[in-house]
Amino acid sequence: MKVALCGVLAALSTAVMFLTGLIPVATLALPAIAGCFLIPVVGEIGVPWGFGVYAVCGALSFLLAPDREAALCYLLFFGYYPALTAVLGRIRNRTLRVVVKLLIFNAAVVLETLLSIYVLHIPWESIGALGKATPFVLLALANLMFVLYDRALDGLIILYFRKFSRQVRRVLKLK
């Protein structure tokens, strides 16, 4: 049952990543949604299984997703972050937990930007509308969006455990 659940959710996540070719303006939204399919895996089976599903979906997304930038966003942040949230939730000091989350996010953003420019050959001039201040403005806006995303993900995790966890466990005969 564990493998079946992981397979179904990996397929759903990969299908959402495949939609990046149909909805090109959702380069960030679809990887974020695809990553949310890890919530039941991590919640019902465990963090190692969640990272396994992430690895499978990441490889399939990189091979099948039409939008390479979206696949890169999934690989570098949105794919593993729901599983990582469970690990980071063990940090008792809230300030330290937020700082660690922000450091991980900022490292992923910088790496994604560098890979987009130097590997995917997205021209820097296409996003440099504010001149030399552009990277700092975009990073500040990205951090604001991350805080909103993190809060929304926390709410989605709470909703899953309140509304759906019991039914998933009963159907799959887990625990």
Side-chain angles (χ1 to χ4, degrees), residues 75-112:
L75 281 170
L76 294 178
F77 184 72
F78 290 114
Y80 65 82
Y81 187 72
L84 187 65
T85 299
V87 174
L88 296 177
R90 297 176 188 152
I91 299 174
R92 295 204 186 269
N93 186 330
R94 186 174 189 271
T95 305
L96 178 61
R97 185 172 57 241
V98 170
V99 168
V100 169
K101 286 180 177 184
L102 285 169
L103 287 173
I104 291 168
F105 174 74
N106 283 293
V109 166
V110 169
L111 184 60
E112 193 274 333

Side-chain angles (χ1 to χ4, degrees), residues 24-37:
V25 296
T27 299
L28 294 176
L30 289 174
I33 292 168
C36 290
F37 286 107

Side-chain angles (χ1 to χ4, degrees), residues 103-126:
L103 287 173
I104 291 168
F105 174 74
N106 283 293
V109 166
V110 169
L111 184 60
E112 193 274 333
T113 302
L114 293 174
L115 288 173
S116 292
I117 292 170
Y118 295 110
V119 175
L120 299 180
H121 303 293
I122 295 173
W124 175 252
E125 295 78 29
S126 67

Side-chain angles (χ1 to χ4, degrees), residues 21-67:
L22 298 173
I23 310 168
V25 296
T27 299
L28 294 176
L30 289 174
I33 292 168
C36 290
F37 286 107
L38 286 184
I39 294 171
V41 174
V42 172
E44 305 304 339
I45 304 171
V47 174
W49 285 79
F51 282 113
V53 170
Y54 155 72
V56 167
C57 293
L60 288 173
S61 295
F62 205 72
L63 293 173
L64 300 175
D67 186 344

